[in-house]
Amino acid sequence: NRGECVQPCRREYEVYDSAAKKSLLIGEDYVMSPQDLCTIEFIDKLIEAGIDSFKIEGRKRAPEYVAKSVSAYRQAIDLYFEGKLTAAKKKELLTELEKVYNRGFSSGFYFSVPSSEEYAGVEGSKATTRKSYVGKVLNYFKEIGIAHILIESGQIKIEDELLIMGETTGVLELKLEKIVVNDKEGQTANRGDEVTFKTPSLVRRNDRVYLIEQVV
């Protein structure tokens, strides 16, 4: 119950034919690695079936995975009870879930026995985005909601999406609309630059800052 199967279940396996005295790969399906169970597109059916408690499985997953998953399902459940959970909104929330670590999505055994197509097929993640470390928070000015960070790697620019993470802060996702670089308003910031920008909520000194990038 501590995620110890994380690696073995994502490997290719082979069987040994003692009569032919040769090994055979078991297809290309990574047969011990199923896709991730995802119910966001039929969460309404589960609620209507009488389920009143849902658990997000987050063992061995990164903080942004937990934050994104909990946020998406929280929104879906709230929208259902508000009568606003449309097909378009479900698709939008599914797109958000695809941004963080996943092995592809499956409806599991909810509607039928999963087919062979519902195995991961490849090792690793199918996430549409990835994060890369760019720096750390030096200070936070609570009265005006401004974070002061040091760029330690790479580059950030206007319109970039960032993650700020810390043990107390949790996970904060934001889009850069305006930045001040070394006390001057700018468009980009590079390694060694000190940058300030507005955040939607509190961050803390030494929180780590990541750039969210699209996976090509």
Side-chain angles (χ1 to χ4, degrees):
N1 195 33
R2 295 186 179 181
E4 293 175 355
C5 66
V6 165
Q7 294 306 317
C9 71
R10 298 184 193 171
R11 298 173 185 162
E12 283 185 316
Y13 283 81
E14 63 182 8
V15 293
Y16 180 72
D17 184 338
S18 59
K21 297 187 183 306
K22 66 179 181 179
S23 294
L24 303 170
L25 283 177
I26 305 178
E28 299 177 352
D29 295 321
Y30 286 75
V31 296
M32 294 185 68
S33 183
Q35 293 179 339
D36 294 340
L37 180 64
C38 180
T39 63
I40 202 77
E41 293 186 289
F42 53 92
I43 192 76
D44 47 349
K45 289 181 170 53
L46 300 182
I47 294 171
E48 290 164 4
I51 298 172
D52 57 13
S53 179
F54 295 93
K55 177 181 181 293
I56 301 294
E57 177 59 76
R59 286 181 306 162
K60 296 290 186 178
R61 298 295 173 93
E64 67 271 18
Y65 169 89
V66 178
K68 184 72 73 176
S69 299
V70 172
S71 174
Y73 279 96
R74 178 74 272 167
Q75 289 182 64
I77 293 169
D78 289 345
L79 287 169
Y80 170 81
F81 285 104
E82 294 170 5
K84 299 177 182 177
L85 185 58
T86 63
K89 190 61 183 179
K90 291 178 187 177
K91 186 63 67 176
E92 179 184 322
L93 292 171
L94 180 64
T95 298
E96 287 298 305
L97 291 172
E98 289 173 338
K99 292 180 179 180
V100 292
Y101 184 95
N102 71 84
R103 292 176 289 174
F105 294 132
S106 167
S107 58
F109 286 86
Y110 276 110
F111 300 107
S112 64
V113 175
S115 69
S116 60
E117 296 178 356
E118 295 186 62
Y119 289 103
V122 295
E123 183 178 5
S125 177
K126 293 183 179 179
T128 60
T129 67
R130 61 170 174 251
K131 72 178 190 293
S132 58
Y133 178 76
V134 292
K136 65 182 179 183
V137 175
L138 297 177
N139 204 352
Y140 180 74
F141 303 97
K142 186 176 181 180
E143 297 78 10
I144 53 177
I146 296 292
H148 177 198
I149 73 169
L150 171 65
I151 304 298
E152 296 185 309
S153 177
Q155 179 189 85
I156 63 172
K157 60 184 183 302
I158 297 293
E159 300 297 319
D160 276 347
E161 294 184 3
L162 301 182
L163 283 178
I164 301 179
M165 299 196 297
E167 290 187 5
T168 303
T169 300
V171 178
L172 174 66
E173 186 173 344
L174 61 93
K175 185 174 183 177
L176 292 175
E177 297 179 353
K178 178 182 178 181
I179 58 175
V180 174
V181 183
N182 301 323
D183 296 323
K184 296 181 180 179
E185 188 170 337
Q187 296 293 314
T188 63
N190 298 285
R191 181 179 178 182
D193 289 337
E194 294 188 18
V195 183
T196 56
F197 52 81
K198 195 168 185 61
T199 65
S201 60
L202 175 67
V203 296
R204 294 165 176 83
R205 186 172 298 174
N206 292 322
D207 282 352
R208 295 169 68 84
V209 183
Y210 297 87
L211 173 66
I212 302 174
E213 300 174 294
Q214 294 295 317
V215 174
V216 179

